Amino acid sequence: MANSPSGESVTERIVRVLETFGTDRTVQTAAEIGRRAGLPSSTAHRMVAELVDCGLLDRDEEQRVRLGMRLWELALRGSRALRLRQAALPFMEHVQARLREHTQLAVLENDETLFIERLSHPHAGANITRIAGRLPLHASSSGLVLLAHGPEDLRERVLAGPLAAVSPETVTDPARLRRLLAGVRRDGVVVAPGTVEAVSTGVAVPVREGRGEVIAALSVVLPRAMPTGRAVEELRAAAAGISAAIGAHRS
């Protein structure tokens, strides 16, 4: 596609526009989109109008803009994340029913933890993660699983920092984090108290494609004082079930 005077392609500018939306910012004006995307006002208004015309964005009666239903539709067609979510949901529902706490499914995306599903009980404890939300890989139990089982160059890139603290107990020392990741690979589970919030403990296990590549992390978020043994057992059983379901679907 043609480049702008700055050298950016049209595709790059569209991505910047779409990335201005987030789980806590679902509606914006064209001017706000342009400011956050770093685009000239005229360019932002033109691009927003074109994206509205093709259904990737929607505009309401007050001229505010949100992500369009067509974008959601296209994203789900043939999506690997959708297939994984469909395979995982019955097992996640079982875990959530047994523990009555937050149950989450996350994947590795652009060196971050991306949460693609979450089930919650009305009386479950604190949890900041949301579906389509992201956290740094070193700063959640799911992320630690994905980082531990990810490519070596990914681990070295993350360990080289910076390692931001999401909470006072987030592991930000590279040497300590390296030891923690080795333990996750050895034990097949991580128990991470206070990594995201002081009142919670994250427990996560890997989900494998067959017996090979780790493709996701399955986790629960428990109140800090709650024992974790039962959660580990439930998660391991569910992860094995998800792997089997994925294998059956592929065969």
Side-chain angles (χ1 to χ4, degrees), residues 142-155:
S142 293
L144 290 169
V145 164
L146 296 169
L147 184 57
H149 292 279
E152 184 177 355
D153 63 332
L154 168 66
R155 282 194 298 279

Side-chain angles (χ1 to χ4, degrees), residues 4 18 28 65 88 102 132 139 166 197 199 201 206 230 235:
S4 69
L18 297 178
Q28 307 178 81
V65 182
H102 305 288
V166 175
E197 294 185 283
V199 297
T201 295
R230 184 182 176 194
L235 287 173

Side-chain angles (χ1 to χ4, degrees), residues 49-68:
E50 291 173 353
L51 291 171
V52 168
D53 287 344
C54 66
L56 298 184
L57 295 178
D58 286 338
R59 200 192 304 266
D60 64 21
E61 295 178 354
E62 298 178 10
Q63 299 302 301
R64 298 176 305 175
V65 182
R66 67 179 70 244
L67 296 177

Side-chain angles (χ1 to χ4, degrees), residues 84 104-108 113-117 142-143 146 215-218:
L84 173 59
Q104 304 172 149
L105 186 68
V107 296
L108 174 65
T113 310
L114 173 63
F115 293 89
I116 62 173
E117 186 56 88
S142 293
L146 296 169
I215 58 172
L218 182 65

Side-chain angles (χ1 to χ4, degrees), residues 110-126:
N110 286 340
D111 291 5
E112 291 182 299
T113 310
L114 173 63
F115 293 89
I116 62 173
E117 186 56 88
R118 180 183 123 173
L119 303 178
S120 297
H121 189 272
H123 302 298

Side-chain angles (χ1 to χ4, degrees), residues 235-248:
L235 287 173
R236 282 178 164 158
I242 296 169
S243 296
I246 293 170

Side-chain angles (χ1 to χ4, degrees), residues 3 10 20 22 43 53 136 149 153 165 174 228:
N3 288 347
V10 173
T20 65
T43 301
D53 287 344
H149 292 279
D153 63 332
T228 60

